[in-house]
Amino acid sequence: DTAVSQTPKYLVTQMGNDKSIKCEQNLGHDTMYWYKQDSKKFLKIMFSYNNKELIINETVPNRFSPKSPDKAHLNLHINSLELGDSAVYFCASSQLYGRSQVHEQFFGPGTRLTVL
Amino acid sequence: RKEVEQDPGPFNVPEGATVAFNCTYSNSASQSFFWYRQDCRKEPKLLMSVYSSGNEDGRFTAQLNRASQYISLLIRDSKLSDSATYLCVVNKGNQGGKLIFGQGTELSVKP
């Protein structure tokens, strides 16, 4: 069973479009994250949700809006896509609080977004 | 200055070689330290956590020097399958699990 899954795996779209990426984890973790990995391979955190509550919100354009309907899902919606949004977007999860705290973050396979 | 700095490499080594990667971090309040491994076009995966006392996992040894804000990873007896990018990762500990990733060091092990 896949622990952290993302859909779609590849996304090619035109500038100005709106798109969404979905993420699901079946590890029972309380915290989920979105990271962006650009062409220079830097992985940077964008957002984090703990039990559906936003706890990390980095300096990201407000065209990016995360949504967490429950603690097992964290989606990312991007409005008015720009060329510079082309990157690989990784979802991750961890257990941040409680006795079963696990610092390790488990990553999904990534979504390769190409904006033309 | 980047919060986590690594030599991007690439390091090209023959099978069986010992190779060492270094990493420095800028925030002295950092609390947790890790090495992640990322294969080409794949997601990062935890290789090992790094403790002040140093820790070893098979052919891999990680060291942390808090005074110098320096982390290292030593790989002994390199295998072809060790070829990957090794990411130095730091957790500040008071920011909701936020991980700061280094750029990664690329390792290529040749026959």
Side-chain angles (χ1 to χ4, degrees):
Chain A
D1 263 352
T2 305
V4 183
S5 58
Q6 293 179 229
T7 53
K9 196 165 183 183
Y10 298 95
L11 189 50
V12 182
T13 188
Q14 300 285 335
M15 260 194 334
N17 283 350
D18 303 338
K19 290 292 178 188
S20 291
I21 308 172
K22 295 187 174 184
C23 178
E24 177 180 359
Q25 55 97 1
N26 63 7
L27 296 166
H29 287 165
D30 62 359
T31 307
M32 295 183 73
Y33 312 81
W34 277 113
Y35 288 86
K36 178 180 179 180
Q37 188 168 41
D38 60 24
S39 57
K40 293 182 181 175
K41 304 294 174 89
F42 270 106
L43 255 171
K44 281 192 168 177
I45 191 160
M46 301 171 70
F47 303 102
S48 173
Y49 271 76
N50 173 257
N51 280 325
K52 303 194 294 176
E53 181 185 342
L54 182 67
I55 58 171
I56 296 174
N57 186 352
E58 292 294 289
T59 309
V60 174
N62 57 15
R63 298 182 295 104
F64 290 78
S65 50
K67 278 195 173 60
S68 182
D70 56 62
K71 72 175 189 174
H73 295 85
L74 180 61
N75 304 324
L76 183 65
H77 187 77
I78 317 171
N79 288 329
S80 304
L81 278 154
E82 299 178 358
L83 294 177
D85 298 333
S86 295
V88 181
Y89 292 83
F90 286 102
C91 177
S93 75
S94 72
Q95 182 62 30
L96 201 57
Y97 299 113
R99 286 186 177 179
S100 53
Q101 185 184 83
V102 172
H103 290 158
E104 178 181 358
Q105 290 187 15
F106 293 80
F107 284 77
T111 296
R112 295 185 179 280
L113 172 65
T114 303
V115 183
L116 303 174
Chain B
R1 183 187 171 187
K2 298 187 185 80
E3 289 191 75
V4 179
E5 295 214 55
Q6 295 179 250
D7 178 349
F11 283 55
N12 296 306
V13 303
E15 264 188 295
T18 295
V19 61
F21 302 140
N22 303 318
C23 166
T24 57
Y25 60 96
S26 61
N27 191 326
S28 58
S30 300
Q31 295 187 9
S32 306
F33 309 89
F34 311 92
W35 283 101
Y36 274 70
R37 170 189 168 138
Q38 186 173 22
D39 291 299
C40 188
R41 301 179 75 82
K42 297 282 191 185
E43 71 273 23
K45 291 184 179 177
L46 180 68
L47 177 67
M48 57 199 302
S49 300
V50 188
Y51 305 113
S52 296
S53 53
N55 48 302
E56 191 174 306
D57 183 1
R59 297 180 294 108
F60 299 83
T61 301
Q63 297 274 357
L64 167 65
N65 184 323
R66 283 188 186 268
S68 304
Q69 295 179 205
Y70 171 94
I71 306 162
S72 66
L73 177 68
L74 184 77
I75 305 176
R76 289 181 298 278
D77 188 23
S78 302
K79 311 288 184 196
L80 296 177
S81 57
D82 293 335
S83 297
T85 296
Y86 290 83
L87 302 163
C88 178
V89 185
V90 169
N91 181 329
K92 290 183 183 176
N94 62 349
Q95 295 192 19
K98 178 177 171 179
L99 296 183
I100 309 297
F101 283 79
Q103 186 181 5
T105 298
E106 187 182 340
L107 172 65
S108 181
V109 182
K110 308 286 188 190

